[in-house]
């Protein structure tokens, strides 16, 4: 199944401006997880760390590979849970 | 599924994908297995630096200079964009003692062809205005380069598969096949695979894996942490590391933070590195890479010292990595155990050596000898005082 019905130049990851076409190419080239798509394309590396695009990438993985949704667990979340400066962190740490 | 190969490479990081590529390019029948995904370990968690000026001995420096030359044509060779970018590497000294040692060490390398420059703090600030010169006496500078780790890893992997190599991710080695004292293959979570040679390129996991063969490999690891900022305008174009990093990072038993910093082509600044030594412990299976209080506090102090104007920039992610090293800082490269087993791991810097070591391994396996004299590259086995069977 392809995603012809969408504009393939649309951004899936708005933070890093990664298009649908780029993500499709990554999956076809062998990226088989959300984190692999991230490493291939940078989708999910921006300020939102995949909060917006993660689910979209997951849906694309399902559509293109034909595997179940459960086969693609979300990427691992890491500290910090929202953007924060070293100054703010240091104040909170004290 | 084919289960017979000429060479099985275990570990899908820089070494594994590079060696698999170099061998597959010579039509060697290759299987590469990786317990997680390509680049899951240290190879997918680094700055992508092609480092030359921090080499610690003569043979390493010569190999590094040759390999640096090979890197310049790697994009052409692979016909891929690896985001290869020339960039200054700056090692700076904070104390007079560090500056004296650094100058002495680097002066010796000039005679071997390393055209390193010596900058005072004023020159440093002219080139890199965001650095605070208060704590810097001087720096040695060399024009090195950087690549995108993922493009290199996936580039090597892609070309390996195009050359007929097989790559299996999410395939864990649980044991080895040994017959008449020789390693003849691996037992994995997806079945048995046989070969004439098994090459371990498993970094920090090498020690625990080799113990399945009763082979003791003296590779320890530090758990290292870094932060990534949001994308910013171009602020600096160098890789910064303090001279003390090369002494303290893996040399002390305590948690320590020494600042290494760079800005990616995309604009993210990476602040590293807090190191937690872990002598003797095996890596946990939990896939958790926590961010420690020591890292938050340590990085704040270092950035406040050297880049105070950047304290207010937002961090968006932390990452952790298990960095392998040997206590004597010599790599493990050779045949340290039964016939049929090779190990390539724990080089102090990895990216720089990928082309030349890939070439050497290919020479060894196809011609039986290398065009390089590797005397002095590896060292004595410190666990039982015998010379390791090394190249």
């Amino acid at each position: 199944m392809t995603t012809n019905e969408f504009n393939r130049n649309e951004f899936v990851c708005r933070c890093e401006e990664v298009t649908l076409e780029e993500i499709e190419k990554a999956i076809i080239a062998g990226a088989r997880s959300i984190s692999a798509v991230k490493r291939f394309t940078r989708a999910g590396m921006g300020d939102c760390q995949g909060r917006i695009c993660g689910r979209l990438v997951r849906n694309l993985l399902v559509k293109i590979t034909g595997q179940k949704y459960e086969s693609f667990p979300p990427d691992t979340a890491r500290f910090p849970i929202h953007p924060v400066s070293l100054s703010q962190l240091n104040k909170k740490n004290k | 599924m084919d289960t017979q190969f000429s060479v099985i490479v275990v570990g899908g990081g820089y070494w594994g994908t590079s060696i698999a590529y170099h061998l597959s390019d010579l039509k060697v029948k290759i299987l590469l297995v990786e317990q997680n995904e390509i680049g899951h370990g240290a190879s997918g968690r680094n700055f992508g630096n092609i480092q030359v000026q921090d080499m610690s001995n003569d043979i390493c420096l010569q190999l590094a200079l040759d390999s640096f030359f090979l890197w310049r044509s790697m994009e052409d060779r692979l016909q891929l964009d690896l985001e290869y970018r020339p960039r200054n590497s700056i090692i700076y000294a904070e104390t007079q003692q560090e500056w004296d040692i650094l100058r002495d060490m680097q002066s010796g390398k000039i005679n071997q062809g390393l055209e390193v420059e010596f900058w005072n703090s004023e020159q440093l600030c002219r080139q890199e205005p965001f650095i605070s010169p208060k704590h810097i006496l001087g720096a040695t500078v060399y024009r090195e380069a950087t690549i995108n780790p993922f493009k290199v890893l996936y580039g090597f992997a892609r070309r390996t598969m195009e050359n007929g190599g097989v790559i299996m991710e999410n395939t864990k080695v649980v044991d080895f096949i040994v017959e008449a004292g020789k390693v003849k293959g691996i037992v994995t979570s997806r079945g048995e695979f046989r070969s004439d040679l098994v090459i371990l390129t498993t970094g920090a996991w090498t020690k625990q894996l080799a113990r399945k063969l009763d082979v003791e490999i003296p590779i320890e690891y530090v758990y290292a942490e870094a932060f990534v900022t949001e994308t910013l305008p171009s602020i600096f174009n160098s890789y910064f590391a303090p001279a003390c990093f090369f002494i303290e990072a893996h040399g002390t038993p305590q948690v320590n933070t020494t600042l290494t910093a760079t800005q990616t082509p995309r604009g993210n600044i990476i602040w590293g590195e807090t190191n937690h030594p872990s002598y003797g412990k095996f890596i946990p299976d939990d896939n958790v890479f926590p961010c420690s209080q020591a890292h938050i506090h340590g990085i704040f102090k270092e950035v406040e010292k050297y880049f105070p104007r950047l304290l207010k920039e937002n961090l968006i992610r932390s990452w952790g990595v298990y960095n392998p090293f040997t206590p004597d800082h010599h790599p493990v490269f050779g045949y340290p155990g039964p016939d049929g087993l090779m190990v390539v791991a724990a080089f102090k810097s990895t990216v720089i050596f990928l082309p030349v070591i890939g070439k050497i391994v290919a020479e060894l396996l196809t011609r039986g000898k290398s065009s390089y004299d590797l005397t002095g590259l590896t060292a004595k086995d410190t666990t039982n005082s015998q010379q390791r069977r090394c190249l």
Side-chain angles (χ1 to χ4, degrees):
Chain A
M1 186 183 293
T2 65
T3 50
N4 290 346
E5 62 271 29
F6 300 111
N7 178 354
R8 296 174 79 239
N9 289 324
E10 249 178 272
F11 290 137
V12 172
C13 170
R14 294 181 296 182
C15 296
E16 293 289 323
E17 297 182 346
V18 183
T19 64
L20 174 65
E21 183 176 17
E22 287 172 288
I23 292 176
E24 275 188 345
K25 278 186 180 166
I27 296 170
I28 290 165
R32 286 293 184 269
S33 67
I34 293 173
S35 60
V37 169
K38 182 168 81 169
R39 289 192 290 269
F40 261 81
T41 67
R42 288 191 63 88
M45 285 192 184
D47 282 9
C48 87
Q49 288 290 291
R51 276 177 183 77
I52 311 276
C53 63
R55 189 171 295 185
L56 297 172
V57 170
R58 202 173 176 185
N59 287 343
L60 282 167
L61 280 161
V62 169
K63 278 198 174 189
I64 293 172
T65 65
Q67 293 180 45
K68 292 181 186 172
Y69 192 75
E70 294 73 26
S71 306
F72 305 108
D75 192 23
T76 314
R78 302 252 187 257
F79 176 90
I81 59 168
H82 63 82
V84 63
S85 69
L86 271 169
S87 297
Q88 288 169 307
L89 263 184
N90 190 59
K91 278 187 204 156
K92 288 181 184 175
N93 213 30
K94 281 178 181 167
Chain B
M1 182 168 59
D2 202 346
T3 59
Q4 182 69 48
F5 298 87
S6 300
V7 176
I8 294 174
V9 179
V10 181
Y14 280 139
W15 289 124
T17 54
S18 170
I19 288 169
Y21 160 69
H22 281 88
L23 289 176
S24 67
D25 207 34
L26 296 174
K27 310 297 177 208
V28 176
K29 192 177 177 190
I30 293 286
L31 168 66
L32 170 65
V33 297
E34 159 57 44
Q35 66 176 347
N36 206 295
E37 289 180 329
I38 295 289
H40 179 74
S43 299
R45 298 162 194 265
N46 58 87
F47 288 28
N49 288 331
I50 301 179
Q51 288 171 246
V52 183
Q53 68 157 323
D54 65 335
M55 290 303 128
S56 53
N57 68 38
D58 290 356
I59 176 65
C60 280
L61 180 59
Q62 282 311 311
L63 285 174
L65 288 169
D66 284 1
S67 207
F68 192 41
F69 181 76
L70 292 172
W71 259 116
R72 288 179 190 155
S73 56
M74 188 57 77
E75 284 186 321
D76 283 339
R77 183 176 170 185
L78 291 177
Q79 288 293 293
L80 291 168
D81 174 18
L82 305 177
E83 292 183 17
Y84 178 92
R85 302 265 189 287
R87 186 175 64 184
N88 279 341
S89 152
I90 294 175
I91 299 178
Y92 55 89
E94 194 178 350
T95 67
Q96 190 59 49
Q97 186 187 27
E98 280 173 13
W99 190 215
D100 291 342
I101 292 172
L102 185 60
R103 274 187 307 195
D104 192 47
M105 201 167 70
Q106 303 298 68
S107 297
K109 295 176 192 173
I110 289 174
N111 297 333
Q112 295 178 63
L114 185 75
E115 294 171 2
V116 69
E117 295 176 29
F118 298 92
W119 289 1
N120 57 33
S121 58
E122 194 185 312
Q123 285 171 294
L124 188 59
C125 289
R126 267 207 300 272
Q127 292 293 319
E128 298 290 352
F130 274 81
I131 198 164
S132 170
K134 245 187 335 187
H135 301 280
I136 297 174
L137 279 180
T140 62
V141 183
Y142 188 65
R143 192 72 174 161
E144 295 178 347
T146 182
I147 46 83
N148 180 317
F150 306 123
K151 296 210 169 188
V152 168
L153 289 163
Y154 287 129
F156 281 141
R158 183 171 154 188
R159 292 294 180 245
T160 298
M161 289 189 287
E162 287 171 0
N163 290 339
V166 175
I167 296 180
M168 295 174 66
E169 294 178 299
N170 300 301
T171 304
K172 187 169 180 157
V173 173
V174 298
D175 209 344
F176 294 89
I177 300 170
V178 181
E179 292 169 356
K182 295 182 186 176
V183 174
K184 299 298 282 178
I186 55 174
V187 182
T188 76
S189 51
R190 293 166 70 176
E192 292 187 2
F193 300 93
R194 291 180 162 265
S195 65
D196 301 320
L197 179 71
V198 173
I199 305 179
L200 296 188
T201 63
T202 41
W205 284 267
T206 305
K207 185 173 188 165
Q208 60 200 73
L209 200 50
R211 277 193 180 162
K212 293 180 189 295
L213 290 164
D214 292 324
V215 174
E216 198 63 32
I217 305 282
I219 291 179
E220 307 295 339
Y221 68 88
V222 288
Y223 176 66
E225 299 184 69
F227 279 128
V228 181
T229 72
E230 58 194 351
T231 53
L232 298 166
S234 180
I235 289 174
F236 48 84
N237 192 40
S238 305
Y239 165 67
F240 295 90
C244 62
F245 171 77
F246 300 100
I247 304 162
E248 287 179 18
H250 302 159
T252 57
Q254 294 91 21
V255 177
N256 62 87
T257 302
T258 49
L259 186 69
T260 54
T262 197
Q263 187 170 21
T264 69
R266 186 72 180 96
N268 309 91
I269 292 177
I270 305 177
W271 300 124
E273 177 172 316
T274 298
N275 290 290
H276 307 254
S278 306
Y279 284 96
K281 294 186 206 161
F282 282 174
I283 296 172
D285 277 337
D286 57 15
N287 201 30
V288 172
F289 297 86
C291 178
S292 67
Q293 295 274 11
H295 181 51
I296 295 169
H297 183 59
I299 289 291
F300 173 82
K301 274 177 52 182
E302 296 296 305
V303 173
E304 186 183 46
K305 204 155 82 166
Y306 295 110
F307 297 94
R309 285 188 275 173
L310 300 179
L311 282 172
K312 291 200 182 333
E313 303 305 338
N314 280 334
L315 309 173
I316 57 172
R317 193 169 181 90
S318 61
W319 89 63
V321 54
Y322 298 104
N323 270 340
F325 73 99
T326 56
D328 60 15
H329 302 297
H330 287 265
V332 181
F333 180 30
Y335 306 97
D339 284 344
L341 179 76
M342 176 188 266
V343 176
V344 183
F347 280 71
K348 199 165 144 225
S349 297
T350 298
V351 180
I352 177 64
F353 290 115
L354 293 178
V356 77
I357 296 294
K359 181 180 166 190
I360 289 170
V361 170
E363 285 175 342
L364 288 169
L365 299 191
T366 55
R367 285 195 258 148
K369 58 180 181 176
S370 167
S371 51
Y372 289 87
D373 178 2
L374 300 171
T375 308
L377 176 64
T378 55
K380 288 186 182 177
D381 183 338
T382 55
T383 56
N384 59 19
S385 299
Q386 288 177 356
Q387 182 77 35
R388 284 204 290 268
R389 288 175 56 213
C390 299
L391 301 165

